[in-house]
Amino acid sequence: MPARLRKLAPSDLATAHEQGDTKALVKHYLAVLEQRAPGRSVEVRVPPFAAVQVVEGVRHTRGTPPAVIETEADTWLALATGRTTWHEAVEAGAVRASGERTDLSAYLPLGAP
């Protein structure tokens, strides 16, 4: 896992939720996704905080990845914690996904709020 992404300890996660530390929460849940969906075929972007490559398949190494998911931090946190579903977020236009293997519904939610 890249050094910039790390899972928070349970007490730190609770504190981050209490304090509304968006940056720490985004990075935590991207790190959890990276563990649940190992691979490098899909790039998940949550600007301006972080991006991670996940999901087994053809490995991406240079240039624009063939499969990209991008969303805002609030939507990512809602998906990660189960406050919204993947399909609801896609239908609402809150998630932009292109390419193969970009349906993350099998991996979400990632944890409790």
Side-chain angles (χ1 to χ4, degrees):
M1 169 177 325
R4 65 183 180 10
L5 293 180
R6 68 177 181 89
K7 285 177 55 178
L8 298 172
S11 61
D12 293 334
L13 180 59
T15 300
H17 276 289
E18 289 169 11
Q19 295 177 351
D21 187 346
T22 302
K23 181 178 180 179
L25 292 170
V26 165
K27 289 182 173 194
H28 167 79
Y29 287 116
L30 285 174
V32 173
L33 177 64
E34 188 175 36
Q35 286 185 332
R36 282 212 187 150
R40 302 198 43 91
S41 69
V42 178
E43 185 165 291
V44 180
R45 300 174 180 167
V46 184
F49 301 108
V52 67
Q53 291 183 356
V54 296
V55 182
E56 288 184 12
V58 177
R59 182 178 177 190
H60 167 72
T61 56
R62 294 182 1 180
T64 302
V68 176
I69 297 167
E70 188 166 322
T71 191
E72 295 178 355
D74 290 342
T75 301
W76 174 244
L77 296 178
L79 287 163
T81 59
R83 292 181 313 211
T84 192
T85 68
W86 177 257
H87 298 294
E88 290 169 341
V90 169
E91 287 178 17
V95 170
R96 292 161 300 286
S98 63
E100 293 181 10
R101 299 179 190 91
T102 56
D103 182 345
L104 297 183
S105 58
Y107 307 106
L108 298 169
L110 299 169

Short mmCIF file of all heavy atoms in Angstrom, two decimals, residues 37-91:
data_model
loop_
_atom_site.label_atom_id
_atom_site.label_comp_id
_atom_site.label_asym_id
_atom_site.label_seq_id
_atom_site.Cartn_x
_atom_site.Cartn_y
_atom_site.Cartn_z
N ALA A 37 -9.94 -5.06 -2.71
CA ALA A 37 -9.98 -5.26 -4.17
C ALA A 37 -8.58 -5.09 -4.75
O ALA A 37 -8.32 -4.17 -5.52
CB ALA A 37 -10.95 -4.27 -4.80
N PRO A 38 -7.64 -5.97 -4.38
CA PRO A 38 -6.27 -5.80 -4.85
C PRO A 38 -6.18 -5.92 -6.37
O PRO A 38 -6.93 -6.67 -6.98
CB PRO A 38 -5.51 -6.93 -4.16
CG PRO A 38 -6.54 -7.95 -3.83
CD PRO A 38 -7.82 -7.20 -3.61
N GLY A 39 -5.28 -5.16 -6.93
CA GLY A 39 -5.07 -5.18 -8.37
C GLY A 39 -4.70 -3.79 -8.85
O GLY A 39 -4.54 -2.86 -8.05
N ARG A 40 -4.59 -3.64 -10.16
CA ARG A 40 -4.17 -2.34 -10.70
C ARG A 40 -4.89 -2.02 -12.01
O ARG A 40 -4.35 -1.31 -12.84
CB ARG A 40 -2.66 -2.34 -10.90
CG ARG A 40 -1.96 -2.63 -9.57
CD ARG A 40 -0.54 -2.29 -9.43
NE ARG A 40 -0.05 -1.05 -9.92
CZ ARG A 40 0.02 0.09 -9.23
NH1 ARG A 40 -0.45 0.14 -8.02
NH2 ARG A 40 0.54 1.16 -9.76
N SER A 41 -6.09 -2.53 -12.20
CA SER A 41 -6.78 -2.32 -13.48
C SER A 41 -7.74 -1.14 -13.47
O SER A 41 -8.16 -0.69 -14.53
CB SER A 41 -7.51 -3.59 -13.91
OG SER A 41 -8.60 -3.85 -13.07
N VAL A 42 -8.10 -0.64 -12.30
CA VAL A 42 -9.05 0.47 -12.19
C VAL A 42 -8.46 1.53 -11.28
O VAL A 42 -7.99 1.20 -10.18
CB VAL A 42 -10.41 0.00 -11.61
CG1 VAL A 42 -11.37 1.17 -11.44
CG2 VAL A 42 -11.02 -1.08 -12.48
N GLU A 43 -8.48 2.77 -11.72
CA GLU A 43 -8.00 3.85 -10.86
C GLU A 43 -9.20 4.57 -10.26
O GLU A 43 -10.08 5.02 -10.98
CB GLU A 43 -7.15 4.85 -11.65
CG GLU A 43 -6.54 5.91 -10.76
CD GLU A 43 -5.42 6.67 -11.45
OE1 GLU A 43 -4.37 6.06 -11.68
OE2 GLU A 43 -5.64 7.85 -11.74
N VAL A 44 -9.23 4.65 -8.93
CA VAL A 44 -10.29 5.36 -8.21
C VAL A 44 -9.70 6.69 -7.75
O VAL A 44 -8.71 6.70 -7.02
CB VAL A 44 -10.80 4.55 -7.00
CG1 VAL A 44 -11.89 5.31 -6.27
CG2 VAL A 44 -11.30 3.18 -7.46
N ARG A 45 -10.32 7.77 -8.18
CA ARG A 45 -9.83 9.12 -7.87
C ARG A 45 -10.83 9.86 -7.01
O ARG A 45 -12.02 9.90 -7.33
CB ARG A 45 -9.61 9.92 -9.15
CG ARG A 45 -8.62 9.31 -10.10
CD ARG A 45 -8.58 10.09 -11.39
NE ARG A 45 -7.61 9.51 -12.33
CZ ARG A 45 -7.55 9.82 -13.61
NH1 ARG A 45 -8.38 10.72 -14.11
NH2 ARG A 45 -6.64 9.26 -14.37
N VAL A 46 -10.32 10.45 -5.94
CA VAL A 46 -11.14 11.31 -5.07
C VAL A 46 -10.34 12.61 -4.91
O VAL A 46 -9.62 12.80 -3.93
CB VAL A 46 -11.42 10.65 -3.70
CG1 VAL A 46 -12.35 11.53 -2.88
CG2 VAL A 46 -12.02 9.26 -3.88
N PRO A 47 -10.43 13.48 -5.92
CA PRO A 47 -9.65 14.71 -5.86
C PRO A 47 -10.18 15.65 -4.79
O PRO A 47 -11.39 15.65 -4.54
CB PRO A 47 -9.79 15.31 -7.25
CG PRO A 47 -10.93 14.62 -7.89
CD PRO A 47 -11.18 13.34 -7.14
N PRO A 48 -9.35 16.44 -4.17
CA PRO A 48 -7.91 16.56 -4.36
C PRO A 48 -7.13 15.67 -3.41
O PRO A 48 -5.92 15.85 -3.24
CB PRO A 48 -7.65 18.02 -4.03
CG PRO A 48 -8.61 18.29 -2.89
CD PRO A 48 -9.85 17.48 -3.25
N PHE A 49 -7.77 14.70 -2.78
CA PHE A 49 -7.16 13.96 -1.69
C PHE A 49 -6.26 12.80 -2.09
O PHE A 49 -5.17 12.68 -1.57
CB PHE A 49 -8.24 13.48 -0.71
CG PHE A 49 -9.03 14.61 -0.14
CD1 PHE A 49 -10.34 14.84 -0.52
CD2 PHE A 49 -8.45 15.49 0.76
CE1 PHE A 49 -11.06 15.91 -0.01
CE2 PHE A 49 -9.16 16.57 1.27
CZ PHE A 49 -10.47 16.78 0.89
N ALA A 50 -6.72 11.92 -2.95
CA ALA A 50 -5.92 10.74 -3.27
C ALA A 50 -6.53 9.96 -4.43
O ALA A 50 -7.67 10.20 -4.83
CB ALA A 50 -5.81 9.83 -2.05
N ALA A 51 -5.75 9.04 -4.93
CA ALA A 51 -6.20 8.09 -5.95
C ALA A 51 -5.51 6.76 -5.65
O ALA A 51 -4.44 6.72 -5.04
CB ALA A 51 -5.82 8.57 -7.34
N VAL A 52 -6.15 5.68 -6.07
CA VAL A 52 -5.59 4.36 -5.84
C VAL A 52 -5.98 3.46 -7.01
O VAL A 52 -7.03 3.65 -7.62
CB VAL A 52 -6.10 3.78 -4.50
CG1 VAL A 52 -7.59 3.50 -4.53
CG2 VAL A 52 -5.36 2.53 -4.12
N GLN A 53 -5.10 2.52 -7.32
CA GLN A 53 -5.41 1.53 -8.36
C GLN A 53 -5.81 0.24 -7.67
O GLN A 53 -5.12 -0.23 -6.75
CB GLN A 53 -4.23 1.34 -9.29
CG GLN A 53 -3.99 2.57 -10.14
CD GLN A 53 -2.87 2.39 -11.14
OE1 GLN A 53 -2.19 1.38 -11.17
NE2 GLN A 53 -2.67 3.40 -11.95
N VAL A 54 -6.94 -0.33 -8.13
CA VAL A 54 -7.52 -1.51 -7.50
C VAL A 54 -8.08 -2.46 -8.56
O VAL A 54 -8.06 -2.14 -9.74
CB VAL A 54 -8.64 -1.11 -6.51
CG1 VAL A 54 -8.09 -0.31 -5.34
CG2 VAL A 54 -9.74 -0.32 -7.21
N VAL A 55 -8.60 -3.57 -8.16
CA VAL A 55 -9.32 -4.57 -8.94
C VAL A 55 -8.36 -5.35 -9.85
O VAL A 55 -7.60 -4.77 -10.62
CB VAL A 55 -10.48 -3.98 -9.76
CG1 VAL A 55 -11.23 -5.07 -10.50
CG2 VAL A 55 -11.45 -3.19 -8.87
N GLU A 56 -8.45 -6.66 -9.73
CA GLU A 56 -7.63 -7.55 -10.56
C GLU A 56 -7.96 -7.36 -12.03
O GLU A 56 -9.08 -7.07 -12.39
CB GLU A 56 -7.86 -9.01 -10.17
CG GLU A 56 -7.27 -9.37 -8.83
CD GLU A 56 -7.43 -10.84 -8.52
OE1 GLU A 56 -7.79 -11.62 -9.41
OE2 GLU A 56 -7.18 -11.20 -7.37
N GLY A 57 -6.97 -7.58 -12.85
CA GLY A 57 -7.14 -7.46 -14.29
C GLY A 57 -5.86 -6.96 -14.91
O GLY A 57 -4.79 -7.02 -14.30
N VAL A 58 -5.96 -6.46 -16.11
CA VAL A 58 -4.79 -5.95 -16.82
C VAL A 58 -4.21 -4.79 -16.04
O VAL A 58 -4.90 -3.84 -15.69
CB VAL A 58 -5.17 -5.49 -18.25
CG1 VAL A 58 -3.97 -4.90 -18.96
CG2 VAL A 58 -5.74 -6.65 -19.03
N ARG A 59 -2.93 -4.88 -15.75
CA ARG A 59 -2.25 -3.86 -14.94
C ARG A 59 -2.00 -2.61 -15.76
O ARG A 59 -1.52 -2.66 -16.89
CB ARG A 59 -0.93 -4.42 -14.43
CG ARG A 59 -0.21 -3.43 -13.57
CD ARG A 59 1.06 -4.00 -13.03
NE ARG A 59 1.72 -2.94 -12.27
CZ ARG A 59 2.94 -3.02 -11.82
NH1 ARG A 59 3.64 -4.10 -12.02
NH2 ARG A 59 3.46 -2.03 -11.16
N HIS A 60 -2.31 -1.47 -15.17
CA HIS A 60 -2.06 -0.18 -15.81
C HIS A 60 -0.72 0.36 -15.30
O HIS A 60 -0.48 0.38 -14.11
CB HIS A 60 -3.18 0.79 -15.46
CG HIS A 60 -2.84 2.19 -15.81
ND1 HIS A 60 -2.80 2.61 -17.11
CD2 HIS A 60 -2.48 3.24 -15.06
CE1 HIS A 60 -2.43 3.88 -17.12
NE2 HIS A 60 -2.24 4.28 -15.89
N THR A 61 0.14 0.83 -16.22
CA THR A 61 1.44 1.32 -15.78
C THR A 61 1.76 2.76 -16.20
O THR A 61 2.49 3.44 -15.51
CB THR A 61 2.58 0.42 -16.30
OG1 THR A 61 2.49 0.33 -17.72
CG2 THR A 61 2.50 -0.96 -15.68
N ARG A 62 1.25 3.22 -17.34
CA ARG A 62 1.59 4.58 -17.79
C ARG A 62 0.40 5.25 -18.46
O ARG A 62 -0.46 4.59 -19.02
CB ARG A 62 2.73 4.53 -18.80
CG ARG A 62 4.01 4.07 -18.21
CD ARG A 62 5.17 4.07 -19.18
NE ARG A 62 4.84 4.55 -20.51
CZ ARG A 62 5.71 4.63 -21.49
NH1 ARG A 62 6.93 4.26 -21.31
NH2 ARG A 62 5.35 5.07 -22.67
N GLY A 63 0.40 6.59 -18.41
CA GLY A 63 -0.64 7.34 -19.10
C GLY A 63 -1.97 7.25 -18.40
O GLY A 63 -2.07 6.88 -17.23
N THR A 64 -3.02 7.59 -19.12
CA THR A 64 -4.37 7.55 -18.56
C THR A 64 -4.83 6.11 -18.47
O THR A 64 -4.77 5.37 -19.46
CB THR A 64 -5.34 8.35 -19.46
OG1 THR A 64 -4.86 9.68 -19.56
CG2 THR A 64 -6.75 8.34 -18.89
N PRO A 65 -5.30 5.69 -17.31
CA PRO A 65 -5.77 4.31 -17.15
C PRO A 65 -6.99 4.04 -18.03
O PRO A 65 -7.79 4.94 -18.28
CB PRO A 65 -6.16 4.21 -15.68
CG PRO A 65 -5.63 5.43 -15.04
CD PRO A 65 -5.40 6.45 -16.09
N PRO A 66 -7.16 2.80 -18.50
CA PRO A 66 -8.33 2.48 -19.33
C PRO A 66 -9.63 2.43 -18.54
O PRO A 66 -10.70 2.53 -19.11
CB PRO A 66 -7.98 1.11 -19.90
CG PRO A 66 -7.01 0.53 -18.93
CD PRO A 66 -6.25 1.68 -18.35
N ALA A 67 -9.54 2.30 -17.23
CA ALA A 67 -10.73 2.26 -16.37
C ALA A 67 -10.52 3.25 -15.23
O ALA A 67 -9.57 3.13 -14.46
CB ALA A 67 -10.95 0.85 -15.83
N VAL A 68 -11.42 4.22 -15.16
CA VAL A 68 -11.28 5.29 -14.17
C VAL A 68 -12.62 5.53 -13.48
O VAL A 68 -13.67 5.57 -14.13
CB VAL A 68 -10.81 6.61 -14.83
CG1 VAL A 68 -10.76 7.73 -13.81
CG2 VAL A 68 -9.45 6.43 -15.47
N ILE A 69 -12.54 5.72 -12.17
CA ILE A 69 -13.70 6.12 -11.37
C ILE A 69 -13.29 7.41 -10.68
O ILE A 69 -12.21 7.50 -10.10
CB ILE A 69 -14.04 5.06 -10.32
CG1 ILE A 69 -14.46 3.75 -10.99
CG2 ILE A 69 -15.12 5.57 -9.36
CD1 ILE A 69 -14.51 2.57 -10.05
N GLU A 70 -14.17 8.41 -10.74
CA GLU A 70 -13.88 9.66 -10.05
C GLU A 70 -15.15 10.14 -9.34
O GLU A 70 -16.25 10.05 -9.89
CB GLU A 70 -13.40 10.72 -11.02
CG GLU A 70 -12.90 11.97 -10.32
CD GLU A 70 -12.11 12.89 -11.24
OE1 GLU A 70 -11.35 12.39 -12.10
OE2 GLU A 70 -12.26 14.11 -11.08
N THR A 71 -14.95 10.62 -8.13
CA THR A 71 -16.07 11.15 -7.36
C THR A 71 -15.54 12.16 -6.34
O THR A 71 -14.35 12.23 -6.08
CB THR A 71 -16.85 10.01 -6.66
OG1 THR A 71 -18.06 10.54 -6.13
CG2 THR A 71 -16.04 9.35 -5.57
N GLU A 72 -16.44 12.93 -5.79
CA GLU A 72 -16.08 13.90 -4.75
C GLU A 72 -15.97 13.19 -3.41
O GLU A 72 -16.51 12.09 -3.21
CB GLU A 72 -17.13 15.00 -4.68
CG GLU A 72 -17.20 15.84 -5.94
CD GLU A 72 -18.28 16.89 -5.88
OE1 GLU A 72 -19.07 16.92 -4.90
OE2 GLU A 72 -18.35 17.68 -6.83
N ALA A 73 -15.29 13.84 -2.49
CA ALA A 73 -15.03 13.24 -1.17
C ALA A 73 -16.32 12.87 -0.44
O ALA A 73 -16.41 11.78 0.13
CB ALA A 73 -14.20 14.19 -0.32
N ASP A 74 -17.30 13.74 -0.43
CA ASP A 74 -18.55 13.44 0.29
C ASP A 74 -19.23 12.19 -0.26
O ASP A 74 -19.75 11.37 0.49
CB ASP A 74 -19.51 14.63 0.24
CG ASP A 74 -19.03 15.80 1.08
OD1 ASP A 74 -18.16 15.61 1.97
OD2 ASP A 74 -19.53 16.93 0.86
N THR A 75 -19.24 12.05 -1.58
CA THR A 75 -19.84 10.87 -2.19
C THR A 75 -19.03 9.62 -1.85
O THR A 75 -19.60 8.58 -1.51
CB THR A 75 -19.94 11.04 -3.71
OG1 THR A 75 -20.73 12.20 -4.00
CG2 THR A 75 -20.56 9.81 -4.37
N TRP A 76 -17.70 9.72 -1.93
CA TRP A 76 -16.85 8.58 -1.59
C TRP A 76 -17.12 8.11 -0.16
O TRP A 76 -17.26 6.92 0.11
CB TRP A 76 -15.38 8.91 -1.80
CG TRP A 76 -14.49 7.80 -1.32
CD1 TRP A 76 -13.59 7.85 -0.32
CD2 TRP A 76 -14.45 6.46 -1.81
NE1 TRP A 76 -12.98 6.63 -0.14
CE2 TRP A 76 -13.50 5.75 -1.06
CE3 TRP A 76 -15.14 5.78 -2.82
CZ2 TRP A 76 -13.21 4.41 -1.26
CZ3 TRP A 76 -14.85 4.43 -3.02
CH2 TRP A 76 -13.90 3.76 -2.26
N LEU A 77 -17.20 9.06 0.77
CA LEU A 77 -17.44 8.69 2.17
C LEU A 77 -18.83 8.09 2.35
O LEU A 77 -19.00 7.15 3.13
CB LEU A 77 -17.22 9.89 3.07
CG LEU A 77 -15.78 10.42 3.08
CD1 LEU A 77 -15.67 11.66 3.97
CD2 LEU A 77 -14.79 9.35 3.51
N ALA A 78 -19.81 8.59 1.62
CA ALA A 78 -21.15 8.02 1.70
C ALA A 78 -21.16 6.59 1.16
O ALA A 78 -21.81 5.70 1.73
CB ALA A 78 -22.15 8.89 0.94
N LEU A 79 -20.44 6.35 0.07
CA LEU A 79 -20.33 4.99 -0.48
C LEU A 79 -19.60 4.07 0.49
O LEU A 79 -20.03 2.94 0.74
CB LEU A 79 -19.58 5.03 -1.81
CG LEU A 79 -20.33 5.61 -3.00
CD1 LEU A 79 -19.36 5.96 -4.12
CD2 LEU A 79 -21.41 4.64 -3.46
N ALA A 80 -18.48 4.55 1.01
CA ALA A 80 -17.64 3.73 1.88
C ALA A 80 -18.35 3.32 3.16
O ALA A 80 -18.14 2.23 3.67
CB ALA A 80 -16.35 4.47 2.21
N THR A 81 -19.20 4.20 3.68
CA THR A 81 -19.86 3.93 4.95
C THR A 81 -21.28 3.39 4.79
O THR A 81 -21.95 3.13 5.79
CB THR A 81 -19.90 5.20 5.82
OG1 THR A 81 -20.59 6.23 5.11
CG2 THR A 81 -18.49 5.66 6.17
N GLY A 82 -21.73 3.23 3.56
CA GLY A 82 -23.05 2.65 3.33
C GLY A 82 -24.21 3.63 3.42
O GLY A 82 -25.36 3.21 3.45
N ARG A 83 -23.93 4.91 3.42
CA ARG A 83 -25.02 5.90 3.46
C ARG A 83 -25.68 6.04 2.10
O ARG A 83 -26.78 6.58 2.01
CB ARG A 83 -24.52 7.25 3.95
CG ARG A 83 -24.11 7.21 5.41
CD ARG A 83 -23.64 8.56 5.86
NE ARG A 83 -22.72 9.07 4.85
CZ ARG A 83 -21.70 9.87 5.09
NH1 ARG A 83 -21.47 10.30 6.28
NH2 ARG A 83 -20.91 10.26 4.11
N THR A 84 -25.02 5.57 1.05
CA THR A 84 -25.61 5.49 -0.29
C THR A 84 -25.05 4.25 -0.96
O THR A 84 -24.02 3.72 -0.54
CB THR A 84 -25.32 6.76 -1.12
OG1 THR A 84 -26.15 6.75 -2.29
CG2 THR A 84 -23.87 6.87 -1.55
N THR A 85 -25.71 3.80 -1.99
CA THR A 85 -25.24 2.64 -2.73
C THR A 85 -24.52 3.08 -3.99
O THR A 85 -24.68 4.21 -4.46
CB THR A 85 -26.40 1.70 -3.12
OG1 THR A 85 -27.20 2.36 -4.11
CG2 THR A 85 -27.23 1.29 -1.91
N TRP A 86 -23.75 2.17 -4.54
CA TRP A 86 -23.04 2.44 -5.78
C TRP A 86 -24.02 2.84 -6.88
O TRP A 86 -23.82 3.84 -7.57
CB TRP A 86 -22.25 1.19 -6.20
CG TRP A 86 -21.54 1.36 -7.49
CD1 TRP A 86 -21.91 0.88 -8.71
CD2 TRP A 86 -20.34 2.11 -7.71
NE1 TRP A 86 -21.01 1.27 -9.66
CE2 TRP A 86 -20.04 2.03 -9.07
CE3 TRP A 86 -19.50 2.84 -6.86
CZ2 TRP A 86 -18.93 2.64 -9.63
CZ3 TRP A 86 -18.39 3.45 -7.42
CH2 TRP A 86 -18.11 3.35 -8.79
N HIS A 87 -25.10 2.07 -7.02
CA HIS A 87 -26.06 2.34 -8.09
C HIS A 87 -26.76 3.68 -7.90
O HIS A 87 -26.99 4.40 -8.87
CB HIS A 87 -27.05 1.18 -8.21
CG HIS A 87 -26.36 -0.10 -8.58
ND1 HIS A 87 -25.72 -0.31 -9.78
CD2 HIS A 87 -26.16 -1.23 -7.87
CE1 HIS A 87 -25.17 -1.51 -9.81
NE2 HIS A 87 -25.42 -2.10 -8.65
N GLU A 88 -27.09 4.03 -6.67
CA GLU A 88 -27.71 5.34 -6.41
C GLU A 88 -26.76 6.47 -6.79
O GLU A 88 -27.17 7.45 -7.41
CB GLU A 88 -28.08 5.47 -4.93
CG GLU A 88 -29.24 4.58 -4.52
CD GLU A 88 -29.42 4.53 -3.00
OE1 GLU A 88 -28.48 4.88 -2.25
OE2 GLU A 88 -30.52 4.11 -2.58
N ALA A 89 -25.51 6.34 -6.42
CA ALA A 89 -24.53 7.40 -6.72
C ALA A 89 -24.28 7.53 -8.21
O ALA A 89 -24.18 8.65 -8.73
CB ALA A 89 -23.22 7.11 -5.98
N VAL A 90 -24.21 6.41 -8.92
CA VAL A 90 -24.01 6.46 -10.37
C VAL A 90 -25.22 7.09 -11.04
O VAL A 90 -25.09 7.98 -11.90
CB VAL A 90 -23.71 5.05 -10.94
CG1 VAL A 90 -23.76 5.05 -12.46
CG2 VAL A 90 -22.36 4.56 -10.44
N GLU A 91 -26.42 6.65 -10.66
CA GLU A 91 -27.65 7.19 -11.25
C GLU A 91 -27.80 8.68 -10.99
O GLU A 91 -28.32 9.41 -11.84
CB GLU A 91 -28.87 6.43 -10.73
CG GLU A 91 -29.00 5.05 -11.32
CD GLU A 91 -30.21 4.30 -10.76
OE1 GLU A 91 -31.11 4.94 -10.18
OE2 GLU A 91 -30.22 3.06 -10.91
#
